Amino acid sequence: MFTSIVKIVAATVLFASVHSLLASRTAKAAAVVLFGERRRNGLYRPFYNILAITTFGALILYGIRLPDRELYRVRGTLARLMQIVQAAFVVYLLYGMRQVGFLKFYGVSNLIAFLKSEPFILPEPEAQGPMQDINGEMKVTGPFRTSRHPLSFGMLPVFWLMPRMTVNLAAFNLVTTLYLFIGAFHEETRLKAVYGQAYLDYQKSETNFFFSPISGAYGKPSVRRITDVFGWN
């Protein structure tokens, strides 16, 4: 059993390391040198996402085949409640992706521009932060009012609220949780470089690093309304 834990931890660390390396500015700069700026801007993000999906799938298949042992299994009403919360956070993640700018951040817009042979293609956003408005200002709406890193935070309940938890899954969840925290801290540096003082003000607001109660709102007084969280006001 210990061998399986070591293997799943090592495989998860390898996946996270490759994921982080390819997301780094160093890797992106190297891609510009090798392929040219237009090709990098048009193809790098789609390639990155396809690679991330396929390697994550390979990691899951590898983990399933390892010897494992059940830690606990929740049944009945509590299990259904856990699944409902998981589903709610999947919606939360999708809404967060929408606020980031799904097509642009995940490279779809750039790929379309590349296939249309457009001469100049802007690079994708540096990090999973709020979108910029037409004046280049941060648009802190939706999930970004409850967390500065909703796409990282939203994954935690999905991973941890499994009605059936095994040793290997718990090991995977621990490594992934640590990776999400470290990645979000690193992302703060890149977001400060993009937004400057605006992001520093955001950090000082009532919106916490990973989770805030339904109370704070960036750039305005504390408001305790669900409409503020979802940007309906």
Coordinates of all heavy atoms in Angstrom, one line a residue, residues 27-121:
A27 N 9.1 29.1 -20.6 CA 8.7 28.2 -21.7 C 8.0 28.9 -22.8 O 8.2 28.6 -24.0 CB 7.7 27.1 -21.1
K28 N 7.2 29.9 -22.5 CA 6.5 30.7 -23.5 C 7.5 31.5 -24.4 O 7.4 31.6 -25.6 CB 5.5 31.6 -22.9 CG 4.3 30.9 -22.3 CD 3.4 31.8 -21.5 CE 2.3 31.1 -20.8 NZ 1.4 32.0 -20.1
A29 N 8.5 32.1 -23.7 CA 9.6 32.8 -24.4 C 10.4 31.9 -25.4 O 10.7 32.3 -26.5 CB 10.5 33.5 -23.5
A30 N 10.6 30.7 -24.9 CA 11.4 29.7 -25.7 C 10.5 29.3 -26.9 O 11.1 29.1 -28.0 CB 11.7 28.5 -24.9
A31 N 9.2 29.2 -26.8 CA 8.3 28.9 -27.9 C 8.3 30.0 -28.9 O 8.2 29.7 -30.1 CB 6.9 28.7 -27.4
V32 N 8.4 31.3 -28.5 CA 8.5 32.4 -29.4 C 9.8 32.3 -30.3 O 9.8 32.5 -31.5 CB 8.5 33.7 -28.7 CG1 8.8 34.9 -29.7 CG2 7.1 34.0 -28.0
V33 N 10.9 31.9 -29.6 CA 12.2 31.8 -30.3 C 12.1 30.7 -31.3 O 12.6 30.8 -32.5 CB 13.3 31.6 -29.3 CG1 14.6 31.3 -30.1 CG2 13.5 32.8 -28.4
L34 N 11.5 29.5 -30.9 CA 11.5 28.3 -31.8 C 10.5 28.4 -32.9 O 10.8 28.0 -34.1 CB 11.1 27.1 -30.9 CG 12.2 26.6 -30.0 CD1 11.7 25.5 -29.1 CD2 13.4 26.1 -30.7
F35 N 9.3 29.0 -32.7 CA 8.2 29.0 -33.6 C 7.8 30.3 -34.2 O 7.0 30.4 -35.1 CB 7.0 28.3 -33.0 CG 7.3 26.9 -32.5 CD1 7.4 26.6 -31.1 CD2 7.6 25.8 -33.4 CE1 7.6 25.4 -30.7 CE2 7.9 24.6 -32.9 CZ 7.9 24.3 -31.5
G36 N 8.3 31.4 -33.6 CA 7.8 32.7 -34.0 C 6.6 33.2 -33.1 O 5.9 32.4 -32.6
E37 N 6.5 34.5 -33.0 CA 5.5 35.0 -32.1 C 4.1 34.7 -32.5 O 3.2 34.4 -31.7 CB 5.7 36.6 -32.0 CG 4.7 37.2 -30.9 CD 5.0 38.7 -30.7 OE1 5.9 39.2 -31.4 OE2 4.4 39.3 -29.8
R38 N 3.8 34.8 -33.8 CA 2.4 34.5 -34.3 C 2.0 33.1 -34.0 O 0.9 32.8 -33.5 CB 2.3 34.9 -35.8 CG 0.9 34.7 -36.3 CD 0.8 35.1 -37.8 NE -0.6 34.8 -38.2 CZ -1.0 33.6 -38.7 NH1 -0.1 32.6 -38.7 NH2 -2.2 33.4 -39.1
R39 N 2.9 32.1 -34.3 CA 2.6 30.7 -34.1 C 2.4 30.4 -32.6 O 1.5 29.7 -32.2 CB 3.6 29.8 -34.7 CG 3.6 29.8 -36.2 CD 4.5 28.6 -36.7 NE 4.5 28.6 -38.2 CZ 5.4 29.2 -38.9 NH1 6.4 29.9 -38.3 NH2 5.4 29.1 -40.2
R40 N 3.3 31.0 -31.8 CA 3.2 30.8 -30.4 C 1.9 31.3 -29.8 O 1.2 30.6 -29.1 CB 4.4 31.5 -29.6 CG 4.5 30.9 -28.2 CD 4.6 32.0 -27.1 NE 3.4 32.8 -26.9 CZ 2.5 32.6 -26.0 NH1 2.6 31.5 -25.3 NH2 1.5 33.4 -25.8
N41 N 1.5 32.6 -30.2 CA 0.3 33.2 -29.7 C -0.9 32.4 -30.2 O -1.9 32.3 -29.5 CB 0.2 34.6 -30.1 CG 1.2 35.5 -29.4 OD1 1.9 35.0 -28.5 ND2 1.4 36.7 -29.8
G42 N -0.9 31.9 -31.4 CA -2.0 31.2 -32.0 C -2.2 29.7 -31.5 O -3.3 29.3 -31.4
L43 N -1.1 29.0 -31.2 CA -1.2 27.6 -31.0 C -0.7 27.1 -29.6 O -1.1 26.0 -29.2 CB -0.3 26.9 -32.0 CG -0.7 27.1 -33.5 CD1 0.4 26.4 -34.4 CD2 -2.1 26.6 -33.8
Y44 N 0.0 28.0 -28.9 CA 0.6 27.5 -27.6 C -0.5 27.1 -26.6 O -0.4 26.0 -26.0 CB 1.5 28.5 -27.0 CG 2.4 28.0 -25.9 CD1 3.6 27.4 -26.2 CD2 1.9 28.1 -24.6 CE1 4.4 26.9 -25.1 CE2 2.7 27.6 -23.5 CZ 4.0 27.0 -23.8 OH 4.7 26.6 -22.8
R45 N -1.5 28.0 -26.4 CA -2.5 27.7 -25.4 C -3.4 26.5 -25.7 O -3.6 25.6 -24.9 CB -3.4 28.9 -25.2 CG -4.2 28.9 -23.9 CD -3.4 28.9 -22.7 NE -4.2 28.5 -21.5 CZ -3.7 28.6 -20.3 NH1 -2.4 29.0 -20.1 NH2 -4.4 28.2 -19.2
P46 N -3.8 26.3 -27.0 CA -4.6 25.1 -27.3 C -3.7 23.8 -27.1 O -4.2 22.8 -26.5 CB -4.9 25.3 -28.8 CG -5.0 26.8 -29.0 CD -3.9 27.3 -28.1
F47 N -2.4 23.9 -27.5 CA -1.5 22.8 -27.3 C -1.4 22.5 -25.8 O -1.4 21.3 -25.4 CB -0.2 23.1 -27.9 CG 0.9 22.2 -27.4 CD1 1.0 20.9 -28.0 CD2 1.8 22.6 -26.5 CE1 2.1 20.0 -27.5 CE2 2.8 21.7 -26.0 CZ 3.0 20.5 -26.5
Y48 N -1.2 23.5 -25.0 CA -1.1 23.4 -23.6 C -2.3 22.7 -22.9 O -2.2 21.8 -22.1 CB -0.8 24.8 -23.0 CG -0.8 24.8 -21.4 CD1 0.4 24.5 -20.8 CD2 -1.9 25.2 -20.7 CE1 0.5 24.6 -19.4 CE2 -1.9 25.2 -19.3 CZ -0.7 24.9 -18.7 OH -0.6 25.0 -17.3
N49 N -3.5 23.1 -23.3 CA -4.7 22.6 -22.8 C -4.9 21.1 -23.2 O -5.3 20.3 -22.4 CB -5.9 23.4 -23.1 CG -5.9 24.8 -22.4 OD1 -5.6 24.8 -21.2 ND2 -6.3 25.8 -23.1
I50 N -4.6 20.8 -24.4 CA -4.8 19.4 -24.9 C -3.8 18.5 -24.2 O -4.2 17.4 -23.7 CB -4.5 19.4 -26.4 CG1 -5.7 20.1 -27.2 CG2 -4.4 17.9 -26.9 CD1 -5.5 20.2 -28.7
L51 N -2.6 19.0 -24.0 CA -1.6 18.2 -23.3 C -2.0 18.0 -21.8 O -1.9 17.0 -21.2 CB -0.2 18.9 -23.3 CG 0.9 18.2 -22.7 CD1 1.2 16.8 -23.4 CD2 2.2 19.0 -22.7
A52 N -2.5 19.1 -21.2 CA -3.0 19.0 -19.8 C -4.1 18.0 -19.6 O -4.1 17.2 -18.7 CB -3.4 20.4 -19.3
I53 N -5.1 18.0 -20.6 CA -6.2 17.1 -20.5 C -5.7 15.6 -20.7 O -6.1 14.7 -19.9 CB -7.3 17.5 -21.5 CG1 -7.9 18.8 -21.1 CG2 -8.3 16.4 -21.6 CD1 -8.8 19.4 -22.2
T54 N -4.9 15.4 -21.7 CA -4.4 14.0 -21.9 C -3.5 13.5 -20.8 O -3.7 12.3 -20.4 CB -3.7 14.0 -23.3 OG1 -2.6 14.9 -23.3 CG2 -4.6 14.3 -24.4
T55 N -2.6 14.3 -20.3 CA -1.8 13.9 -19.2 C -2.5 13.7 -17.9 O -2.2 12.7 -17.2 CB -0.6 14.8 -19.0 OG1 -1.1 16.2 -18.8 CG2 0.4 14.8 -20.2
F56 N -3.6 14.5 -17.7 CA -4.4 14.3 -16.5 C -5.2 13.0 -16.6 O -5.3 12.2 -15.7 CB -5.4 15.5 -16.3 CG -6.2 15.4 -15.1 CD1 -5.6 15.6 -13.8 CD2 -7.5 15.0 -15.1 CE1 -6.4 15.5 -12.7 CE2 -8.3 14.9 -14.0 CZ -7.7 15.2 -12.8
G57 N -5.7 12.7 -17.8 CA -6.4 11.5 -18.1 C -5.5 10.3 -17.8 O -5.9 9.3 -17.2
A58 N -4.2 10.4 -18.3 CA -3.2 9.3 -18.1 C -2.9 9.1 -16.6 O -2.8 8.0 -16.2 CB -2.0 9.6 -18.9
L59 N -2.9 10.2 -15.9 CA -2.6 10.2 -14.4 C -3.8 9.4 -13.7 O -3.5 8.6 -12.9 CB -2.5 11.6 -13.9 CG -2.4 11.7 -12.4 CD1 -1.1 11.0 -11.9 CD2 -2.3 13.2 -11.9
I60 N -5.0 9.7 -14.1 CA -6.2 9.1 -13.5 C -6.2 7.6 -13.8 O -6.4 6.7 -12.9 CB -7.5 9.7 -14.0 CG1 -7.6 11.2 -13.6 CG2 -8.7 8.9 -13.5 CD1 -7.5 11.4 -12.1
L61 N -5.9 7.2 -15.1 CA -5.8 5.8 -15.5 C -4.7 5.1 -14.7 O -4.9 3.9 -14.3 CB -5.6 5.7 -17.0 CG -6.8 6.1 -17.9 CD1 -6.4 6.0 -19.3 CD2 -8.0 5.2 -17.6
Y62 N -3.6 5.7 -14.6 CA -2.5 5.1 -13.8 C -2.9 4.9 -12.4 O -2.6 3.8 -11.8 CB -1.3 6.1 -13.9 CG -0.1 5.6 -13.1 CD1 0.7 4.5 -13.5 CD2 0.3 6.2 -12.0 CE1 1.8 4.0 -12.8 CE2 1.4 5.8 -11.2 CZ 2.1 4.7 -11.7 OH 3.2 4.3 -10.9
G63 N -3.5 5.9 -11.7 CA -3.9 5.8 -10.4 C -4.9 4.7 -10.1 O -4.9 4.0 -9.1
I64 N -5.9 4.5 -11.1 CA -6.9 3.5 -11.0 C -6.3 2.1 -10.9 O -6.8 1.2 -10.2 CB -7.9 3.6 -12.1 CG1 -8.8 4.9 -11.9 CG2 -8.9 2.4 -12.2 CD1 -9.7 5.2 -13.1
R65 N -5.2 1.9 -11.7 CA -4.6 0.6 -11.8 C -3.8 0.2 -10.6 O -3.4 -1.0 -10.5 CB -3.8 0.5 -13.1 CG -4.7 0.6 -14.3 CD -3.9 0.7 -15.6 NE -4.7 0.8 -16.8 CZ -4.2 0.9 -18.0 NH1 -2.9 1.0 -18.2 NH2 -5.1 1.0 -19.0
L66 N -3.4 1.2 -9.7 CA -2.6 0.9 -8.6 C -3.4 0.2 -7.5 O -4.6 0.5 -7.3 CB -2.0 2.2 -8.0 CG -0.9 2.8 -8.9 CD1 -0.5 4.2 -8.3 CD2 0.3 2.0 -9.1
P67 N -2.8 -0.7 -6.7 CA -3.5 -1.3 -5.5 C -3.9 -0.1 -4.6 O -3.2 0.8 -4.4 CB -2.4 -2.1 -4.9 CG -1.4 -2.4 -5.9 CD -1.4 -1.2 -6.8
D68 N -5.2 -0.3 -4.1 CA -5.8 0.8 -3.3 C -6.6 0.2 -2.1 O -6.8 -1.0 -2.1 CB -6.7 1.6 -4.2 CG -6.9 3.0 -3.7 OD1 -6.4 3.4 -2.6 OD2 -7.5 3.8 -4.4
R69 N -6.9 1.1 -1.2 CA -7.7 0.6 -0.1 C -8.7 1.7 0.3 O -8.4 2.9 0.3 CB -6.8 0.3 1.1 CG -7.6 -0.2 2.4 CD -6.6 -0.9 3.3 NE -5.4 0.0 3.6 CZ -5.4 0.8 4.7 NH1 -6.4 0.9 5.5 NH2 -4.3 1.5 4.9
E70 N -9.9 1.3 0.6 CA -11.0 2.3 0.9 C -10.8 2.8 2.3 O -10.6 2.1 3.3 CB -12.4 1.6 0.8 CG -13.5 2.6 1.0 CD -14.9 1.9 0.8 OE1 -15.2 1.8 -0.4 OE2 -15.5 1.5 1.7
L71 N -10.9 4.2 2.4 CA -10.8 4.8 3.7 C -12.2 4.9 4.4 O -12.4 4.7 5.5 CB -10.2 6.2 3.6 CG -8.6 6.2 3.3 CD1 -8.2 7.7 3.1 CD2 -7.9 5.6 4.5
Y72 N -13.1 5.4 3.6 CA -14.5 5.5 4.0 C -15.4 5.5 2.9 O -15.0 5.8 1.7 CB -14.7 6.7 5.0 CG -14.4 8.0 4.3 CD1 -15.4 8.6 3.5 CD2 -13.2 8.7 4.5 CE1 -15.2 9.9 2.9 CE2 -13.0 9.9 4.0 CZ -14.0 10.5 3.2 OH -13.7 11.7 2.6
R73 N -16.7 5.3 3.1 CA -17.7 5.4 2.1 C -19.0 6.0 2.8 O -19.5 5.4 3.7 CB -18.1 4.0 1.5 CG -19.1 4.1 0.3 CD -19.6 2.7 -0.1 NE -18.5 2.0 -0.7 CZ -18.2 1.9 -2.0 NH1 -19.0 2.6 -2.8 NH2 -17.2 1.2 -2.4
V74 N -19.4 7.1 2.2 CA -20.6 7.8 2.8 C -21.8 7.4 1.9 O -21.7 7.4 0.7 CB -20.5 9.3 2.7 CG1 -21.7 10.0 3.3 CG2 -19.2 9.7 3.5
R75 N -22.9 7.0 2.5 CA -24.1 6.6 1.8 C -25.3 7.4 2.2 O -25.3 8.2 3.2 CB -24.4 5.1 2.1 CG -23.3 4.1 1.6 CD -23.7 2.7 1.9 NE -22.8 1.7 1.2 CZ -21.7 1.3 1.8 NH1 -21.3 1.8 3.0 NH2 -20.9 0.4 1.1
G76 N -26.4 7.2 1.5 CA -27.6 7.8 1.8 C -27.7 9.3 1.6 O -27.1 9.9 0.7
T77 N -28.4 10.0 2.5 CA -28.7 11.4 2.3 C -27.4 12.3 2.3 O -27.3 13.2 1.5 CB -29.6 11.9 3.4 OG1 -30.9 11.2 3.4 CG2 -30.0 13.4 3.2
L78 N -26.5 11.9 3.2 CA -25.3 12.7 3.3 C -24.5 12.6 2.0 O -23.9 13.6 1.5 CB -24.4 12.2 4.5 CG -23.1 13.0 4.7 CD1 -23.3 14.5 4.9 CD2 -22.4 12.4 5.9
A79 N -24.4 11.4 1.4 CA -23.7 11.2 0.1 C -24.3 12.1 -1.0 O -23.6 12.7 -1.8 CB -23.7 9.7 -0.3
R80 N -25.7 12.1 -1.0 CA -26.3 12.9 -2.0 C -26.1 14.4 -1.8 O -25.9 15.2 -2.7 CB -27.8 12.6 -2.0 CG -28.2 11.3 -2.6 CD -29.7 11.1 -2.9 NE -30.4 11.0 -1.6 CZ -30.6 9.8 -1.0 NH1 -30.1 8.7 -1.5 NH2 -31.3 9.8 0.2
L81 N -26.0 14.8 -0.5 CA -25.7 16.2 -0.2 C -24.3 16.6 -0.7 O -24.1 17.6 -1.2 CB -25.9 16.4 1.3 CG -25.6 17.8 1.8 CD1 -26.5 18.9 1.2 CD2 -25.7 17.9 3.3
M82 N -23.4 15.7 -0.4 CA -22.0 15.9 -0.9 C -21.9 16.1 -2.4 O -21.2 16.9 -2.9 CB -21.1 14.8 -0.4 CG -20.9 14.7 1.1 SD -20.1 13.1 1.6 CE -18.4 13.4 1.1
Q83 N -22.7 15.2 -3.1 CA -22.7 15.3 -4.6 C -23.4 16.6 -5.1 O -22.9 17.2 -6.1 CB -23.4 14.1 -5.1 CG -22.7 12.8 -4.9 CD -23.5 11.5 -5.2 OE1 -24.7 11.6 -5.2 NE2 -22.8 10.4 -5.5
I84 N -24.4 17.1 -4.3 CA -25.0 18.3 -4.7 C -24.1 19.5 -4.6 O -24.0 20.4 -5.4 CB -26.3 18.5 -3.8 CG1 -27.4 17.6 -4.2 CG2 -26.8 20.0 -4.0 CD1 -28.6 17.6 -3.3
V85 N -23.3 19.5 -3.5 CA -22.3 20.5 -3.2 C -21.2 20.5 -4.3 O -20.8 21.5 -4.9 CB -21.7 20.4 -1.8 CG1 -20.5 21.4 -1.7 CG2 -22.7 20.6 -0.8
Q86 N -20.8 19.3 -4.7 CA -19.8 19.1 -5.8 C -20.4 19.7 -7.1 O -19.7 20.4 -7.8 CB -19.5 17.6 -6.0 CG -18.6 17.0 -5.0 CD -18.3 15.5 -5.3 OE1 -19.2 14.8 -5.5 NE2 -17.0 15.2 -5.3
A87 N -21.6 19.4 -7.4 CA -22.2 19.9 -8.6 C -22.3 21.4 -8.6 O -22.1 22.1 -9.6 CB -23.6 19.3 -8.8
A88 N -22.6 22.0 -7.4 CA -22.7 23.4 -7.3 C -21.4 24.1 -7.5 O -21.3 25.1 -8.2 CB -23.2 23.8 -5.9
F89 N -20.3 23.4 -7.1 CA -19.0 24.0 -7.3 C -18.5 23.8 -8.7 O -17.7 24.6 -9.2 CB -18.0 23.4 -6.3 CG -17.9 24.2 -5.0 CD1 -18.7 23.9 -3.9 CD2 -17.1 25.3 -5.0 CE1 -18.6 24.6 -2.8 CE2 -17.0 26.1 -3.8 CZ -17.8 25.7 -2.7
V90 N -19.0 22.8 -9.4 CA -18.7 22.7 -10.9 C -19.3 23.9 -11.6 O -18.7 24.5 -12.5 CB -19.3 21.3 -11.4 CG1 -19.2 21.3 -13.0 CG2 -18.5 20.2 -10.9
V91 N -20.6 24.2 -11.2 CA -21.2 25.4 -11.8 C -20.4 26.7 -11.5 O -20.2 27.5 -12.3 CB -22.7 25.6 -11.3 CG1 -23.3 26.9 -11.8 CG2 -23.5 24.4 -11.8
Y92 N -20.0 26.7 -10.2 CA -19.1 27.9 -9.7 C -17.9 28.0 -10.6 O -17.4 29.1 -11.0 CB -18.8 27.6 -8.3 CG -17.8 28.6 -7.6 CD1 -18.3 29.8 -7.0 CD2 -16.5 28.4 -7.6 CE1 -17.5 30.7 -6.4 CE2 -15.6 29.3 -7.0 CZ -16.1 30.4 -6.4 OH -15.3 31.3 -5.8
L93 N -17.2 26.8 -10.9 CA -16.0 26.8 -11.7 C -16.3 27.3 -13.2 O -15.6 28.1 -13.7 CB -15.4 25.4 -11.8 CG -14.7 24.9 -10.5 CD1 -14.4 23.4 -10.6 CD2 -13.4 25.7 -10.4
L94 N -17.4 26.8 -13.7 CA -17.8 27.2 -15.1 C -18.1 28.7 -15.1 O -17.7 29.4 -16.1 CB -19.0 26.4 -15.5 CG -18.8 24.9 -15.8 CD1 -20.2 24.2 -16.0 CD2 -17.8 24.7 -16.9
Y95 N -18.7 29.2 -14.1 CA -19.0 30.7 -14.0 C -17.7 31.4 -13.9 O -17.5 32.5 -14.5 CB -19.9 31.0 -12.9 CG -20.5 32.4 -12.9 CD1 -20.7 33.1 -14.1 CD2 -20.8 33.0 -11.7 CE1 -21.2 34.4 -14.1 CE2 -21.3 34.3 -11.7 CZ -21.5 35.0 -12.9 OH -22.0 36.3 -12.9
G96 N -16.8 30.9 -13.1 CA -15.4 31.5 -13.0 C -14.7 31.5 -14.3 O -14.1 32.5 -14.7
M97 N -14.8 30.4 -15.1 CA -14.2 30.4 -16.4 C -14.8 31.5 -17.3 O -14.1 32.1 -18.1 CB -14.3 29.0 -17.0 CG -13.6 27.9 -16.3 SD -13.9 26.3 -17.1 CE -13.0 25.2 -16.0
R98 N -16.1 31.6 -17.2 CA -16.7 32.7 -18.0 C -16.2 34.1 -17.6 O -16.0 34.9 -18.5 CB -18.3 32.6 -17.8 CG -19.0 33.6 -18.6 CD -20.5 33.4 -18.4 NE -21.3 34.4 -19.0 CZ -21.7 35.6 -18.5 NH1 -21.3 35.9 -17.3 NH2 -22.4 36.5 -19.2
Q99 N -16.0 34.3 -16.4 CA -15.5 35.6 -15.9 C -14.1 35.9 -16.4 O -13.7 37.0 -16.6 CB -15.6 35.7 -14.4 CG -17.0 35.6 -13.8 CD -18.0 36.7 -14.4 OE1 -18.8 36.3 -15.3 NE2 -17.8 37.9 -14.1
V100 N -13.3 34.8 -16.4 CA -11.9 34.9 -16.9 C -11.9 35.2 -18.4 O -11.0 35.9 -18.9 CB -11.1 33.6 -16.6 CG1 -9.8 33.6 -17.3 CG2 -10.9 33.5 -15.1
G101 N -12.9 34.7 -19.1 CA -12.9 34.8 -20.5 C -12.5 33.5 -21.2 O -11.4 33.3 -21.5
F102 N -13.5 32.5 -21.2 CA -13.2 31.2 -21.5 C -12.5 31.0 -22.9 O -11.5 30.4 -23.0 CB -14.5 30.4 -21.5 CG -14.3 28.9 -21.8 CD1 -14.1 28.0 -20.7 CD2 -14.3 28.4 -23.1 CE1 -13.9 26.7 -20.9 CE2 -14.1 27.0 -23.3 CZ -13.9 26.2 -22.2
L103 N -13.1 31.6 -23.9 CA -12.5 31.4 -25.3 C -11.1 32.0 -25.4 O -10.2 31.4 -26.0 CB -13.4 32.0 -26.3 CG -14.8 31.4 -26.5 CD1 -15.6 32.1 -27.5 CD2 -14.7 29.9 -26.8
K104 N -10.9 33.1 -24.8 CA -9.6 33.8 -24.8 C -8.6 33.1 -24.0 O -7.5 32.8 -24.5 CB -9.7 35.2 -24.4 CG -8.4 36.0 -24.6 CD -8.6 37.5 -24.3 CE -7.4 38.3 -24.5 NZ -7.6 39.7 -24.2
F105 N -8.9 32.8 -22.7 CA -7.9 32.2 -21.9 C -7.5 30.8 -22.3 O -6.4 30.4 -22.2 CB -8.4 32.1 -20.4 CG -7.4 31.6 -19.5 CD1 -6.4 32.5 -19.0 CD2 -7.4 30.3 -19.1 CE1 -5.4 32.0 -18.2 CE2 -6.4 29.8 -18.2 CZ -5.4 30.7 -17.8
Y106 N -8.5 30.0 -22.8 CA -8.2 28.6 -23.2 C -7.8 28.5 -24.7 O -7.6 27.4 -25.2 CB -9.4 27.7 -22.9 CG -9.6 27.6 -21.4 CD1 -10.5 28.4 -20.7 CD2 -8.8 26.7 -20.7 CE1 -10.6 28.3 -19.3 CE2 -8.9 26.5 -19.4 CZ -9.8 27.3 -18.7 OH -9.9 27.2 -17.3
G107 N -7.5 29.7 -25.3 CA -6.8 29.6 -26.6 C -7.7 29.5 -27.8 O -7.2 29.4 -28.9
V108 N -9.0 29.4 -27.6 CA -9.9 29.1 -28.7 C -9.9 30.3 -29.7 O -9.8 30.2 -30.9 CB -11.3 28.8 -28.2 CG1 -12.3 28.6 -29.4 CG2 -11.3 27.6 -27.4
S109 N -10.0 31.5 -29.1 CA -10.0 32.8 -29.9 C -8.7 32.9 -30.7 O -8.8 33.2 -31.9 CB -10.2 34.0 -29.0 OG -11.5 33.9 -28.3
N110 N -7.6 32.6 -30.1 CA -6.3 32.7 -30.8 C -6.2 31.7 -31.8 O -5.6 31.9 -32.9 CB -5.2 32.6 -29.7 CG -5.0 33.8 -28.9 OD1 -5.9 34.6 -28.8 ND2 -3.9 34.0 -28.2
L111 N -6.7 30.5 -31.6 CA -6.6 29.4 -32.6 C -7.4 29.8 -33.8 O -7.0 29.6 -35.0 CB -7.1 28.1 -32.0 CG -7.1 26.9 -32.9 CD1 -5.8 26.6 -33.5 CD2 -7.7 25.7 -32.2
I112 N -8.6 30.3 -33.6 CA -9.5 30.7 -34.7 C -8.8 31.8 -35.5 O -8.8 31.8 -36.8 CB -10.8 31.2 -34.2 CG1 -11.6 30.1 -33.6 CG2 -11.6 31.9 -35.3 CD1 -12.9 30.5 -32.9
A113 N -8.2 32.8 -34.8 CA -7.5 33.9 -35.5 C -6.3 33.3 -36.3 O -6.0 33.8 -37.4 CB -7.0 34.9 -34.5
F114 N -5.6 32.3 -35.8 CA -4.5 31.7 -36.5 C -5.0 31.0 -37.7 O -4.4 31.1 -38.8 CB -3.8 30.7 -35.5 CG -2.6 30.0 -36.2 CD1 -1.4 30.7 -36.2 CD2 -2.7 28.8 -36.7 CE1 -0.3 30.0 -36.8 CE2 -1.6 28.1 -37.3 CZ -0.4 28.8 -37.4
L115 N -6.1 30.2 -37.6 CA -6.6 29.5 -38.7 C -7.1 30.4 -39.8 O -7.2 30.1 -41.0 CB -7.7 28.5 -38.3 CG -7.2 27.4 -37.4 CD1 -8.4 26.6 -36.9 CD2 -6.2 26.5 -38.1
K116 N -7.6 31.6 -39.4 CA -8.0 32.6 -40.4 C -6.9 33.4 -41.0 O -7.1 34.3 -41.8 CB -9.0 33.6 -39.7 CG -10.4 33.0 -39.4 CD -11.3 34.0 -38.7 CE -12.7 33.5 -38.5 NZ -13.6 34.5 -37.9
S117 N -5.7 33.1 -40.6 CA -4.5 33.7 -41.1 C -4.4 35.2 -40.8 O -3.8 36.0 -41.6 CB -4.4 33.5 -42.6 OG -4.3 32.1 -43.0
E118 N -4.9 35.6 -39.6 CA -4.8 36.9 -39.2 C -3.3 37.2 -38.9 O -2.7 36.4 -38.3 CB -5.7 37.2 -38.0 CG -7.2 37.1 -38.2 CD -8.0 37.4 -37.0 OE1 -7.5 38.0 -36.1 OE2 -9.2 37.2 -37.1
P119 N -2.8 38.4 -39.4 CA -1.4 38.7 -39.3 C -0.9 38.9 -37.8 O 0.3 38.6 -37.5 CB -1.2 39.9 -40.1 CG -2.6 40.6 -40.1 CD -3.6 39.5 -40.1
F120 N -1.7 39.4 -37.0 CA -1.3 39.7 -35.6 C -2.2 39.1 -34.6 O -3.4 39.4 -34.6 CB -1.2 41.3 -35.4 CG -0.7 41.7 -34.1 CD1 0.7 41.5 -33.7 CD2 -1.5 42.2 -33.1 CE1 1.2 41.9 -32.5 CE2 -1.1 42.5 -31.8 CZ 0.3 42.4 -31.5
I121 N -1.7 38.4 -33.7 CA -2.5 37.7 -32.7 C -1.9 38.0 -31.3 O -0.7 37.8 -31.0 CB -2.5 36.1 -32.9 CG1 -2.9 35.8 -34.3 CG2 -3.3 35.5 -31.8 CD1 -2.8 34.3 -34.6

